[in-house]
């Protein structure tokens, strides 16, 4: 079980969190033209990376804040966790 | 029976407490402190089971977790447990155990015919044989294999024992209480660290209990006892026996299984049987010791052949002789220690040493004691079927290839020692890159990945002095890093006998013309010849050889067999062991019961149960309940002997004719506040929200970004910047998370707060033509007319002094209202509604009537919003705004979503107007078409229409728009039904929606 440092609450066990996918995916802006390819990339296309991965987690059984986590998908090492409004 | 093999003056058992137990129906006696194994051996019982494949007789091989043979079916307190190791099971009064894998009895086992057929059961036998003919698999092969396979029988009774989970945090977790564990725990604890010391056996001390050493002028055993009692007194230390650290997971999380009651006849009241500890440790010290390696020779699986360290443990801990004419077969000095113990206790052993003329203090002592030693000698084969009767031995040439003349030596047990294999399982599980140590012919931990350090024999350090020195140091250094304290404990003086190097020889060649089975894996019956076949057939990777031969795949996970298997592969392949590599060590290190893994999360405890504030009223009024997600809801309120069908029909009909009340507390509720609340709603819902007036509710549909409908519900504007959102019962938690995602990550500029208020409000839906009359009587101060409180209107008032919210919304399709009060007042509200409603013939209705009412109205719900449908499919396209953007809008342009013949919700009526259509049935054009019959759609929900008194269903049908009036078939292969049906509008009752607005 991973040990994740919530930037709001401190070190907590993984079972307090829920995973939220790739943190680098940016939603296209509202009311803007989006090409089929860009929309597909946003909705569906994800890379299954081996190595450092920036991802979202929600501290769902804690402060309910979404956070950003940089984790190695092969070793599970966590390098950094930041708040939702901070860059990772 | 008398304990003929028990000695009087040695051992750590309590001779004052005699214990009776049964094995295979025979009553024996042992003492408190015995294991089932030691007690049986004390009674001279060596035959305990039959082997897995050949059903060869099996005895005891080890004295602890490494035991491959002695697996029994245990009976305790009217319950039974399979796969219990007799070497680990402590004796208690009334214990009963039976052999497994034999029929009709362990002494006469029909399966032993496999032993005669063994030439036909080589490696890969199952893969090769049971492939053809294909049709034989289900009828012949599988039932036969199922009957023949397995060890023991799982109980089919509910397990009445309690199992617990515990979370713990510490500075240092120390796995194993041998010399290195004790020393490091002591040093770290003295330096202020929070320490957990875990020992899998009942007694602490590990090898100190059996070895002849002195530490600080005490015997090893006394030293261990002192350290343990001191540790137990320290407030910063948790000391646990009968506790196996079996798994090393990510981020220094380890899991330990503590057996609190397995050694007792009955679990004490309020106590768990076992406890699973999740331990997050800052540092881990692995002091798990080592396991003796077997030597491999002919028939080395015969009962009476066992590890020499086990023989020593039975003698020194339990006062039990495993034989009275022992033969010790060794390639190192450890065998001598066992021989010396035998000699000291009046038994004359013979030592066969594979080495030529080794010299060491221990060997000198054995010589001094006049123990007969034969150097350059090997056991060629054990003789005897159910018990060793003698051994064929021979001199072996210096190059270890040639055997001399075979002689026969009488003996009743053969104690083997092939040197030591460090127990590196935990280190390897943590991600440690293990390395091969040529000096000890075994793998040892290398570069650590997590915060783990391996000490003592587990690290390949076999001298006590060095072990203690390093362990005291490690305990101090690691604790200093965490506590910043500087209290150093120095290592005591040690007296131990020095030993010399071991012989790398481990597998005795077969004499000419002999075909003895030489076993590597004792539990899975894998012999040297099986591995040879696998290699001959082209298997090279050790992982493949393992799976093909099943070497190391038994419940003992190859604790005694893995390394010999590797050595054999490397010998044949002319490689060195590290090139062959080792198979992966995976948790658990020893089997863990399912009970311990599940803990208390069983039955009703597997998830929280939520009840509405009106639950007790429902109970008192004969509600039959149903699980709706984590909620328990009334399905119908039973009158007399009514069935579900009759009851729900009555309730639904009463809503259509009079008035009904339904507990809708379970609906998800989210409170939304902030100046940008309307903007948020406008972005998450498909329809327009910016102009909703205060005091009005609106129905809305939410999509996922891929265009699929996620949820629906009404949201009401309470005041300028305050909204009350409802979600479906099932999606409540997901929708909150969804909103938080967009507010925190995508549109942080929106100034909005969301919070769940599902549990804060109790809700009652009042529905039916007489609901207005009821409402007016309940709330005399309001204007309940159609003008005063129009459809989708909202107002706040009070109900006999209690604050209440009234929403004029309808799920049933009737004139209806939903009243919310704070949860604490829920029951009060409900009773008032029932009381005042009496004159209007009010009846409560449950989820079944609720479904009936919505289905015949064509109102969609969870069964239509099934994660595969878009707004169009649910006839919700009118709610999709063309003017504004919202979540998922861009996806609705997808080709499949705008196809002309896109699926759509329809009504489905059986042509005979009698036969109910099972939910999930497929809609097809031609009932006789060959399989696979092309599917046009499916039935999503079915009910008995109370309006028309015939069955009615909703379906999602391809090109549903143009199918109205068509005749199709609903087919349910599951229920074996084919029903001719007609497709009608989904709005079966009141298609114009006049009632809700009346």
């Amino acid at each position: 079980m991973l040990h994740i440092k919530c930037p709001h609450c401190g070190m907590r066990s993984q079972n307090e969190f829920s995973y939220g996918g790739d943190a680098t995916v940016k939603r296209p802006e509202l009311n803007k033209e989006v090409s089929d390819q860009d929309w597909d990339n946003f909705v569906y296309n994800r890379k299954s990376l081996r190595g450092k991965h920036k991802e979202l987690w929600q501290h769902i059984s804690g402060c309910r804040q979404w956070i950003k986590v940089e984790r190695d998908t092969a070793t599970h090492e966590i390098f950094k966790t930041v708040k939702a409004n901070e860059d990772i | 029976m008398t304990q003929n093999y028990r000695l009087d003056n040695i051992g750590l058992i309590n001779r004052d407490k005699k214990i009776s137990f049964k094995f295979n129906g025979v009553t024996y006696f042992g003492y408190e402190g015995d294991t089932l194994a030691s007690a049986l051996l004390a009674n001279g019982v060596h035959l305990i089971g039959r082997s897995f494949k050949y059903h060869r007789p099996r005895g005891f091989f080890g004295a602890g977790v490494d035991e491959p043979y002695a697996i029994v079916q245990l009976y305790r307190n009217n319950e039974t447990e399979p796969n219990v190791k007799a070497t680990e099971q402590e004796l208690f009064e009334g214990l009963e155990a039976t052999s497994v894998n034999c029929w009709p009895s362990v002494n006469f086992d029909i399966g032993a015919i496999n032993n005669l057929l063994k030439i036909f059961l080589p490696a890969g036998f199952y893969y090769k044989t049971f492939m053809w003919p294909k049709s034989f698999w289900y009828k012949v092969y599988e039932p036969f294999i199922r009957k023949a396979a397995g060890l023991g029988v799982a109980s089919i009774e509910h397990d009445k024992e309690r199992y617990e989970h515990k979370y713990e945090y510490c500075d240092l977790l120390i796995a194993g209480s041998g010399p290195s564990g004790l020393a490091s725990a002591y040093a770290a604890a003295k330096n202020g660290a929070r320490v957990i010391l875990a020992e899998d056996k009942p007694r602490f001390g590990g090898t100190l209990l059996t070895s002849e050493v002195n530490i600080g002028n005490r015997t090893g055993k006394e030293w261990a006892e002192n350290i343990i009692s001191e540790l137990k007194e320290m407030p910063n230390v948790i000391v646990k026996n009968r506790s196996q650290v079996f798994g090393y997971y990510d981020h220094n999380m380890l899991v330990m299984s503590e057996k609190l009651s397995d050694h007792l006849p009955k679990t004490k009241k309020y106590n768990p049987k076992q406890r699973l500890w999740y331990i997050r440790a800052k540092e881990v010290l692995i002091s798990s010791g080592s396991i003796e390696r077997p030597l491999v020779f002919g028939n080395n699986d015969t009962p009476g052949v066992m590890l020499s360290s086990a023989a020593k443990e039975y003698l020194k801990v339990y006062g039990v002789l495993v034989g009275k004419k022992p033969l010790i077969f060794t390639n190192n000095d450890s065998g001598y220690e066992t021989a010396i113990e035998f000699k000291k206790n009046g038994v004359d052993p013979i030592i066969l040493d594979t080495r030529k003329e080794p010299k060491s203090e221990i060997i000198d002592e054995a010589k001094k004691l006049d123990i007969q030693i034969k150097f350059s000698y090997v056991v060629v084969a054990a003789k005897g079927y159910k018990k060793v009767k003698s051994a064929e031995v021979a001199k072996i040439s210096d190059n270890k290839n040639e055997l001399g003349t075979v002689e026969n030596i009488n003996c009743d047990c053969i104690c083997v020692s092939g040197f030591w294999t460090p127990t590196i399982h935990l280190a390897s599980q943590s991600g440690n890159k293990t390395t091969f140590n040529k000096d000890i012919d075994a793998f040892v931990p290398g570069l650590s990945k997590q915060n783990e350090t391996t000490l003592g024999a587990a690290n390949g350090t076999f001298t006590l002095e060095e072990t203690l020195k390093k362990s005291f140091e490690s305990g101090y250094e690691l604790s200093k890093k965490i506590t910043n304290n500087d209290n150093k404990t120095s290592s005591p003086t040690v007296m131990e006998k020095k030993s010399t190097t071991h012989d790398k020889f481990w597998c005795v060649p077969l004499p000419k013309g002999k075909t003895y089975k030489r076993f590597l894996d004792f539990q899975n019956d894998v012999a040297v010849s099986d591995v040879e076949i696998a290699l001959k057939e082209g298997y090279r990777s050790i992982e493949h050889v393992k799976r093909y031969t099943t070497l190391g795949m038994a419940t003992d996970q190859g604790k005694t067999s893995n390394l010999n298997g590797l050595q054999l592969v490397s010998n044949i392949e002319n490689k060195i062991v590290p090139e062959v590599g080792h198979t992966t060590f995976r948790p658990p290190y020893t089997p863990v019961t399912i009970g311990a893994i599940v803990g208390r999360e069983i039955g009703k405890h597997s998830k929280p149960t939520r009840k509405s504030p009106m639950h007790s009223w429902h109970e008192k009024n004969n509600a039959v309940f149903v699980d709706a997600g984590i909620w328990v809801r009334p399905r119908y309120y039973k009158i007399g002997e009514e069935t579900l069908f009759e009851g729900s029909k009555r309730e639904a009909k009463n809503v259509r004719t009079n008035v009904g009340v339904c507990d809708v507390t379970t609906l998800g509720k989210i409170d939304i506040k902030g100046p940008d609340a309307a903007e948020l709603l406008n972005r998450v819902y498909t329809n327009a929200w910016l102009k909703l007036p205060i005091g009005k509710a609106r129905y809305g549909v939410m999509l996922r970004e891929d265009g699929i409908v996620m949820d629906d519900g009404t949201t009401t504007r309470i005041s300028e910047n305050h909204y009350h959102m409802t979600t479906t019962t099932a999606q409540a938690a997901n929708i909150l998370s969804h909103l938080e995602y967009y507010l925190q990550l995508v549109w942080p500029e929106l100034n909005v707060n969301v919070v769940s208020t599902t549990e804060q409000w109790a809700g009652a839906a009042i529905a039916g033509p007489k609901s207005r009359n009821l409402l007016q009587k309940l709330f005399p101060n309001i204007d309940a007319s159609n003008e005063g409180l129009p459809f989708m209107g909202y107002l706040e008032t009070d109900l006999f002094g209690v604050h209440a919210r009234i929403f004029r919304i309808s799920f049933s399709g009737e004139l209806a209202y939903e009243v919310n009060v704070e949860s604490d007042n829920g029951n009060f509200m409900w009773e008032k509604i029932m009381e005042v409603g009496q004159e209007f013939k009010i009846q409560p209705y449950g989820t079944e009537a609720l479904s009936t009412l919505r289905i015949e109205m064509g109102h969609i719900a969870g069964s239509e919003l099934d994660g595969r449908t878009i707004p169009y499919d649910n006839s919700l396209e009118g709610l999709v705004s063309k003017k504004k953007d919202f979540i998922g809008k861009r996806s609705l342009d997808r080709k499949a979503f705008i196809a002309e013949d896109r699926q759509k919700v329809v009504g489905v009526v059986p042509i005979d107007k009698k036969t109910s259509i099972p939910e999930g049935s497929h809609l097809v054009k031609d009932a006789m078409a060959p399989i696979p019959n092309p599917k046009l759609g499916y039935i999503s929900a079915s009910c008995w229409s109370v309006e028309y008194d015939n069955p009615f269903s909703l379906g999602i049908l391809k090109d549903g728009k143009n199918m109205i009036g068509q005749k199709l078939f609903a087919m349910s292969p599951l229920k074996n039904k084919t029903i001719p049906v007609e497709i009608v509008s989904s709005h079966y009752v009141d298609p114009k929606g006049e009632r809700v607005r009346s």
Side-chain angles (χ1 to χ4, degrees):
Chain A
M1 203 184 330
L2 305 186
H3 213 199
I4 302 170
K5 186 179 174 186
C6 171
H8 307 277
C9 310
M11 291 301 271
R12 299 299 175 101
S13 276
Q14 184 187 345
N15 52 1
E16 293 186 17
F17 294 85
S18 100
Y19 181 69
D22 192 336
T24 62
V25 175
K26 208 169 152 31
R27 191 192 191 282
E29 277 181 52
L30 289 166
N31 301 305
K32 287 257 170 76
E33 277 284 313
V34 189
S35 70
D36 284 352
Q37 189 56 53
D38 286 351
W39 187 255
D40 265 7
N41 287 342
F42 161 61
V43 179
Y44 297 106
N45 299 333
R46 298 287 182 275
K47 284 192 178 117
S48 182
L49 290 173
R50 184 187 166 88
K52 279 193 180 182
H53 188 232
K54 290 167 183 166
E55 56 201 18
L56 297 170
W57 290 78
Q58 188 183 14
H59 195 190
I60 199 150
S61 302
C63 62
R64 293 203 64 92
Q65 293 300 304
W66 285 88
I67 62 168
K68 293 172 185 167
V69 176
E70 189 176 36
R71 179 182 66 105
D72 190 306
T73 57
T75 64
H76 290 315
E77 186 178 351
I78 291 177
F79 306 99
K80 200 175 168 189
T81 57
V82 298
K83 295 175 183 171
N85 61 2
E86 293 171 348
D87 285 330
I88 190 158
Chain B
M1 286 253 183
T2 50
Q3 300 179 44
N4 284 330
Y5 290 83
R6 184 84 73 178
L7 297 169
D8 290 333
N9 45 8
I10 184 169
L12 310 176
I13 46 170
N14 177 13
R15 286 190 171 75
D16 295 335
K17 202 165 169 208
K18 216 170 169 186
I19 287 176
S20 79
F21 67 101
K22 269 187 188 172
F23 180 66
N24 285 335
V26 181
T27 303
Y28 299 94
F29 291 95
Y31 294 116
E32 187 179 76
D34 260 326
T35 61
L36 175 57
S38 66
L40 284 171
L41 285 168
N43 286 281
V45 178
H46 277 261
L47 181 62
I48 183 143
R50 292 279 173 160
S51 75
F52 189 61
K53 197 156 86 180
Y54 302 126
H55 291 250
R56 287 161 69 106
R58 286 292 186 248
F60 300 95
F61 195 71
V65 293
D66 48 332
E67 175 62 40
Y69 300 149
I71 284 168
V72 297
Q73 184 84 21
L74 184 78
Y75 300 86
R76 169 183 176 271
N77 191 25
N78 297 322
E79 292 193 338
T80 181
E81 195 179 323
N83 296 336
V84 172
K85 285 191 184 112
T87 53
E88 290 189 290
Q89 178 59 51
E90 291 171 66
L91 207 61
F92 54 79
E93 183 60 42
L95 180 149
E96 283 188 55
T98 56
S99 296
V100 296
N101 212 23
C102 54
W103 184 84
S105 82
V106 70
N107 265 308
F108 177 72
D109 174 23
I110 283 183
I113 199 159
N114 286 357
N115 191 27
L116 304 176
L117 299 176
K118 66 192 169 205
I119 189 160
F120 303 117
L121 285 169
F125 168 74
Y126 285 56
Y127 301 121
K128 290 168 187 160
T129 310
F130 296 129
M131 298 295 286
W132 301 278
K134 214 175 162 186
S135 62
F136 265 41
W137 177 250
Y138 286 110
K139 285 180 186 144
V140 184
Y141 295 146
E142 202 200 354
F144 171 76
I145 294 170
R146 286 221 178 277
K147 194 167 180 299
L151 304 158
V153 186
S155 171
I156 54 167
E157 300 290 319
H158 172 71
D159 188 347
K160 290 183 279 292
E161 299 280 356
R162 206 167 85 184
Y163 301 84
E164 279 180 358
H165 285 182
K166 184 174 166 68
Y167 292 81
E168 193 57 80
Y169 297 80
C170 66
D171 296 330
L172 236 73
L173 171 65
I174 296 162
S177 76
S180 53
L182 290 174
S184 51
Y186 190 77
K190 280 284 179 192
N191 201 27
R194 293 170 59 205
V195 173
I196 298 177
L197 175 64
E199 167 61 45
D200 70 312
K201 292 200 167 188
R203 297 175 186 84
F204 297 95
T207 51
L208 292 176
L209 298 177
T210 54
S211 50
E212 291 293 308
V213 292
N214 269 285
I215 306 173
N217 296 327
R218 288 196 175 100
T219 68
K221 184 175 150 283
E222 283 165 2
W223 181 81
E225 280 165 359
N226 263 314
I227 293 270
I228 276 293
S229 44
E230 210 172 318
L231 285 172
K232 279 181 175 167
E233 294 302 314
M234 296 170 79
N236 53 330
V237 181
I238 296 173
V239 175
K240 284 284 168 193
N241 60 342
R242 302 187 177 97
S243 297
Q244 178 73 259
V245 179
F246 65 76
Y248 199 137
Y249 299 88
D250 293 309
H251 296 183
N252 261 33
M253 156 76 83
L254 290 100
V255 185
M256 173 172 95
S257 159
E258 181 188 8
K259 294 188 169 171
L260 292 99
S261 310
D262 291 74
H263 64 293
L264 303 171
K266 205 176 154 186
T267 307
K268 282 188 207 129
K269 210 174 176 185
Y270 308 123
N271 273 23
K273 187 181 183 197
Q274 296 175 3
R275 186 179 285 141
L276 209 63
W277 293 59
Y278 293 89
I279 302 169
R280 189 81 70 174
K282 289 193 181 127
E283 293 284 342
V284 177
L285 284 169
I286 300 168
S287 46
S288 46
S290 55
I291 291 173
E292 204 165 18
R293 276 204 293 276
L295 290 169
V296 177
F297 53 90
N299 298 331
N300 56 338
D301 63 330
T302 311
V305 178
M306 64 167 66
L307 294 173
S308 93
S309 57
K312 192 171 77 172
E313 187 168 337
Y314 285 120
L315 218 165
K316 294 208 74 172
V317 176
Y318 305 101
V320 171
L321 289 171
V322 297
K324 292 180 179 172
K325 282 185 287 177
L327 191 63
I328 315 283
F329 180 28
T330 186
N331 71 356
N332 69 94
D333 283 5
S334 301
Y336 288 79
E337 291 176 18
T338 306
I340 289 166
E341 292 301 332
F342 271 118
K343 184 75 183 184
K344 279 190 192 163
N345 286 285
V347 174
D348 276 326
I350 301 172
I351 298 176
L352 303 189
D353 192 330
T354 65
R355 296 172 293 182
K356 204 175 170 191
E357 278 291 338
K359 291 204 166 36
S360 74
E361 284 177 29
I362 297 171
I363 298 171
D364 287 345
E365 191 187 346
K367 283 178 179 165
K368 231 181 274 166
L369 286 167
D370 268 343
I371 294 173
Q372 190 187 343
I373 308 169
K374 286 166 164 294
F375 292 111
S376 292
Y377 253 81
V378 296
V379 174
V380 175
K383 289 283 176 189
Y385 184 55
K386 288 176 191 168
K387 176 76 196 293
V388 171
K389 289 193 177 117
S390 65
E392 285 184 352
V393 305
K395 202 156 174 93
I396 191 150
S397 63
D398 289 353
N399 65 7
K400 311 285 186 193
N401 287 333
E402 307 291 327
L403 291 174
T405 327
V406 171
E407 312 156 34
N408 216 51
I409 295 184
N410 275 335
C411 59
D412 61 356
C413 69
I414 303 174
C415 306
V416 294
S417 177
F419 208 50
W420 296 87
T421 308
T423 304
I424 58 167
H425 297 62
L426 286 176
S428 176
Q429 287 172 21
S430 84
N432 189 301
K433 293 268 173 274
T434 56
T435 57
F436 191 74
N437 181 336
K438 274 190 300 195
D439 295 339
I440 62 167
D441 288 330
F443 286 92
V444 289
L447 196 63
S448 302
K449 193 189 125 191
Q450 304 196 46
N451 299 343
E452 120 272 327
T453 311
T454 304
L455 295 168
N459 198 31
T461 310
F462 294 122
T463 66
L464 183 63
E465 189 168 6
E466 198 186 340
T467 292
L468 287 182
K469 203 170 141 257
K470 279 189 181 165
S471 304
F472 272 105
E473 245 170 53
S474 285
Y476 163 72
E477 293 291 343
L478 290 170
S479 58
K480 190 180 163 191
K481 218 164 72 179
I482 300 164
T483 63
N484 289 321
N485 293 345
D486 201 12
N487 301 317
K488 192 167 182 175
T489 317
S490 56
S491 185
T493 54
V494 172
M495 274 166 55
E496 63 182 320
K497 286 191 203 79
K498 301 242 165 359
S499 44
T500 182
T501 50
H502 76 291
D503 187 359
K504 289 180 184 298
F505 174 77
W506 60 278
C507 182
V508 180
L510 288 175
K512 279 199 181 74
K514 296 286 185 187
T515 57
Y516 298 131
K517 279 262 168 201
R518 293 170 296 169
F519 285 95
L520 291 168
D521 183 316
F522 303 102
Q523 198 178 73
N524 266 355
D525 281 6
V526 181
V528 170
S529 52
D530 293 312
V531 173
E532 286 169 350
I533 287 175
L535 291 165
K536 212 179 282 173
E537 291 181 0
Y539 291 89
R540 287 294 174 273
S541 155
I542 189 66
E543 296 280 1
H544 291 161
V545 172
K546 167 183 162 179
R547 280 157 184 80
Y548 194 58
T549 61
T550 71
L551 175 82
M553 283 171 67
T555 63
D556 69 340
Q557 293 189 339
K559 290 184 176 62
T560 49
S561 64
N562 273 342
L563 214 65
N564 282 343
L566 289 178
Q567 299 214 31
L568 179 62
V569 173
S570 55
N571 286 359
I572 299 172
E573 291 281 284
N574 268 327
K575 283 181 184 167
I576 47 171
V577 174
E579 285 175 4
V580 176
H582 63 72
T583 53
T584 315
F585 294 101
R586 290 192 177 86
Y589 171 65
T590 52
V592 182
T593 61
I594 299 286
I597 292 168
V598 172
R600 299 193 66 184
E601 290 165 9
I602 49 164
K604 281 281 175 199
H605 294 290
S606 60
K607 55 183 169 47
T609 301
R610 286 197 197 182
K611 296 171 179 173
S612 93
M614 290 84 96
H615 189 84
S616 58
W617 189 95
H618 305 322
E619 275 177 334
K620 273 181 238 148
N621 289 274
N622 294 330
V624 176
F625 291 97
V626 62
D627 289 333
I630 51 178
W631 290 88
V632 180
R633 300 187 71 178
R635 196 167 188 193
Y636 75 112
Y637 300 82
K638 192 171 184 170
I639 297 179
E641 292 303 302
E642 247 178 3
T643 61
L644 170 67
F645 178 72
E646 293 161 350
S648 61
K649 213 163 112 177
R650 166 184 53 74
E651 291 171 4
K653 213 168 168 76
N654 190 58
V655 173
R656 294 265 183 255
T657 47
N658 299 307
V659 60
V661 59
C662 183
D663 185 347
V664 291
T665 302
T666 63
L667 275 187
K669 303 174 201 77
I670 298 170
D671 205 60
I672 304 176
K673 275 183 180 165
D676 296 320
E679 180 59 29
L680 173 72
L681 295 173
N682 211 40
R683 293 179 184 185
V684 298
Y685 281 129
T686 61
N687 48 342
W689 284 82
L690 296 180
K691 289 177 183 156
L692 180 72
I694 293 169
K696 278 282 191 184
R698 184 167 286 174
Y699 174 73
V701 176
M702 283 183 206
L703 306 188
R704 312 191 306 217
E705 291 285 17
D706 63 1
I708 298 290
V709 180
M710 187 178 184
D711 199 40
D712 70 340
T714 59
T715 292
T716 307
R717 192 167 183 188
I718 307 279
S719 66
E720 178 67 25
N721 293 326
H722 184 193
Y723 291 80
H724 173 83
M725 174 184 276
T726 66
T727 72
T728 56
T729 300
Q731 290 288 348
N734 294 343
I735 301 299
L736 183 66
S737 226
H738 179 71
L739 298 178
E740 286 165 339
Y741 174 87
Y742 283 94
L743 285 172
Q744 294 173 25
L745 288 159
V746 185
W747 305 313
E749 69 277 11
L750 293 185
N751 190 356
V752 184
N753 258 321
V754 291
V755 65
S756 164
T757 53
T758 302
E759 288 86 356
Q760 276 63 37
W761 295 100
I766 302 171
K770 294 180 185 165
S771 58
R772 176 173 292 129
N773 304 6
L774 170 57
L775 195 79
Q776 190 67 75
K777 267 211 128 155
L778 278 168
F779 303 98
N781 298 332
I782 65 162
D783 173 9
S785 71
N786 207 17
E787 295 72 37
L789 181 55
F791 182 52
M792 289 306 208
Y794 164 79
L795 53 82
E796 285 179 45
T797 180
D798 75 289
L799 172 73
F800 301 96
V802 164
H803 175 72
R805 290 172 161 184
I806 308 172
F807 308 79
R808 187 169 162 195
I809 52 178
S810 175
F811 189 48
S812 58
E814 292 298 324
L815 170 67
Y817 305 87
E818 197 183 307
V819 183
N820 280 6
V821 294
E822 285 167 26
S823 289
D824 288 351
N825 299 323
N827 213 40
F828 171 78
M829 164 183 70
W830 189 269
E831 282 176 352
K832 278 289 168 205
I833 293 171
M834 288 305 297
E835 183 190 314
V836 177
Q838 216 155 32
E839 69 173 282
F840 307 107
K841 297 192 176 150
I842 194 166
Q843 284 183 18
Y845 64 102
T847 55
E848 198 71 15
L850 185 77
S851 292
T852 296
L853 295 165
R854 75 97 186 167
I855 291 169
E856 63 175 2
M857 277 288 168
H859 287 172
I860 52 143
S863 47
E864 288 75 37
L865 309 181
D866 63 355
R868 294 180 292 182
T869 54
I870 57 170
Y872 175 88
D873 305 348
N874 293 298
S875 289
L876 296 169
E877 62 271 28
L879 286 172
V880 178
S881 168
K882 294 213 165 53
K883 291 184 193 138
K884 57 139 196 177
D885 200 358
F886 53 83
I887 292 171
K889 181 175 191 178
R890 178 67 177 79
S891 291
L892 294 179
D893 297 343
R894 285 175 57 186
K895 226 169 162 184
F897 288 176
I898 53 174
E900 264 303 303
D901 60 352
R902 179 75 200 170
Q903 61 179 5
K904 203 172 191 53
V905 64
V906 293
V908 185
V909 180
I911 294 193
D912 68 2
K913 301 262 170 121
K914 281 187 194 121
T915 316
S916 288
I917 309 168
E919 289 175 351
S921 297
H922 283 191
L923 292 166
V924 299
K925 201 168 179 112
D926 176 5
M928 307 304 280
I931 291 167
N933 197 336
K935 172 183 139 186
L936 301 176
Y938 57 94
I939 299 297
S940 59
S942 289
C943 72
W944 188 275
S945 164
V946 288
E947 187 88 4
Y948 298 106
D949 203 22
N950 59 253
F952 176 73
S953 297
L954 290 177
I956 307 281
L957 181 62
K958 193 175 180 185
D959 198 18
K961 182 175 65 171
N962 298 314
M963 296 293 278
I964 309 293
Q966 297 268 343
K967 294 196 167 53
L968 299 176
F969 295 91
M971 293 184 79
S972 171
L974 197 66
K975 300 260 167 93
N976 199 18
K977 273 188 176 174
T978 300
I979 304 160
V981 296
E982 188 184 348
I983 304 304
V984 299
S985 160
S986 61
H987 299 293
Y988 199 44
V989 175
D990 189 24
K992 287 185 182 151
E994 286 163 346
R995 295 181 191 177
V996 293
R997 293 182 173 80
S998 63

